Structure formats: C-alpha cells, structure tokens
Amino acid sequence: WSSDVCSSDLAHYHFGSKDALIEAVSAYRLARVNLRRMERLAAVESRGAPTLRDLMEVMVLPMVEEMEQTAGGANYIQVLAQLSGHPAHDLAKLVRSRNAEALQRCSKIAASLVPEIPQRVFEMRFGLSILTAISALANRERMLSSPLTDEKVEMPMLVSVLVDSLEASLRAPLSASTRAELQLGTKQRA
C-alpha cells in the first residue's frame, strides 16, 4: 500500500469522513485563532472603548499570526478560503460556533459603533468582511508560492490596507440602491 492510501484510510477511520476531518481541523484552528482574538480584544478593551479599526485588527491579526507562527498555518488559510466558496460547507456555521466567540463579540461592538447602519445590512457587511479577510490572506499566500508572479506584498502592508478596507466597508453610508432594497424587502415581508 502506498503511504497516501494508508493516510487516507487512517483519516477515514478516525474521523469517519472527509467532511468530519475538515470540521475537526477547522475547529482546532478556529479555537486557536479565537483564543488569540479574545486576548487581543481584552487588551484593546483594557485601553478604553474599541474603535472600528481596533475590532478589524482583532479579527485579522490572529489569522495572520496563525499563518506565520504555526506549522501548516499558511495552508490552513488557503483551505479556509476554498471552504468559504464551497457550497457543501457553511462558513456562517463556523462563525456562530463556540470557537468564534471573539468574532461574535467584535460584531456586536462594531454594530454599536455604526448605529446608522440597519442590522440586516451590518450583518451582511460583517460577514463579507470575514470572507474578504480570508480571501485576501489566502491570495497573498498563493502569490508567494506562484512562479507566475513577481508581485510580493509584504504582510504588514497587506494587513494595513485590508483593515482600512474592512473598516470603510462597515462604515460606508447606505447607497440609494441598498435603501431601495431594504424598503422592498420590508414591503414583501408585510
């Protein structure tokens, strides 16, 4: 038997399925990232009321630390990016899990900082922020390993621009189009 077959059989024996293996790896990594986020959030809150930028850094920096400081971290962010676009995996379920307590707290605090944004719109924007962060970090890793590009973005610059973008997307005023969609949705539910 090849080592690939043995590894595959062993993984299936222990986890029962590929989906269960993915769930186990995700839970392991998310627990580590969540702990880092909780520590960062506590540090930010100890200095006073967090800003929206502080909260976006709490969301992004622990993922960067996991990527750069742990074995397999760079691979994990790419797997997470693939899962986020796969119809069989519910990333929102992971965000609602106990391993995402820090994200949930960040979302609640961030929503209070932009009270002019309706809750439904804020929740969509926050979810898109998570997906954007994962995608941007995974894309950087792909670019670093690609022989097809000479473009190498330093992590500090990427993080700064990413946090700028996430903050701006949460803070942006509602467009006329979004207002119209909200009104249409309200009429349809009535």
Side-chain angles (χ1 to χ4, degrees):
W1 285 3
S2 76
S3 63
D4 289 342
V5 172
C6 289
S7 296
S8 177
D9 289 344
L10 189 58
H12 194 285
Y13 174 78
H14 283 289
F15 295 100
S17 69
K18 184 170 97 175
D19 288 342
L21 172 61
I22 290 169
E23 292 284 330
V25 170
S26 294
Y28 168 75
R29 292 285 183 170
L30 282 176
R32 293 163 55 96
V33 170
N34 185 58
L35 180 60
R36 286 185 169 120
R37 284 181 175 140
M38 293 297 285
E39 291 168 352
R40 280 188 175 277
L41 185 55
V44 165
E45 289 178 318
S46 74
R47 295 191 305 263
T51 65
L52 211 46
R53 182 172 189 84
D54 291 333
L55 297 170
M56 294 303 93
E57 287 176 348
V58 166
M59 183 171 76
V60 172
L61 291 175
M63 287 191 293
V64 172
E65 291 166 356
E66 185 71 12
M67 290 169 58
E68 293 184 331
Q69 298 173 8
T70 64
N75 294 331
Y76 169 68
I77 197 70
Q78 291 188 50
V79 169
L80 195 55
Q82 289 175 356
L83 291 176
S84 70
H86 195 282
H89 296 282
D90 184 3
L91 197 61
K93 178 181 162 189
L94 291 175
V95 172
R96 292 187 304 268
S97 76
R98 64 182 168 80
N99 288 324
E101 179 186 354
L103 276 181
Q104 295 160 12
R105 287 188 53 211
C106 285
S107 175
K108 185 176 179 178
I109 296 166
S112 74
L113 296 174
V114 287
E116 68 280 8
I117 305 298
Q119 180 180 352
R120 182 166 181 233
V121 173
F122 178 82
E123 288 172 358
M124 291 174 76
R125 287 181 178 184
F126 195 83
L128 288 169
S129 294
I130 295 167
L131 292 173
T132 299
I134 292 167
S135 178
L137 295 172
N139 190 50
R140 178 186 181 266
E141 290 305 311
R142 278 191 296 275
M143 287 182 0
L144 287 177
S145 62
S146 173
L148 303 177
T149 182
D150 290 334
E151 187 177 347
K152 306 297 183 211
V153 178
E154 287 79 25
M155 187 62 87
M157 179 61 145
L158 174 63
V159 168
S160 184
V161 171
L162 178 59
V163 169
D164 290 345
S165 298
L166 299 178
E167 178 184 10
S169 73
L170 292 177
R171 209 179 274 291
L174 295 183
S175 66
S177 173
T178 300
R179 285 186 195 284
E181 289 298 322
L182 282 171
Q183 289 173 350
L184 181 63
T186 301
K187 288 178 186 175
Q188 287 178 347
R189 285 190 296 262

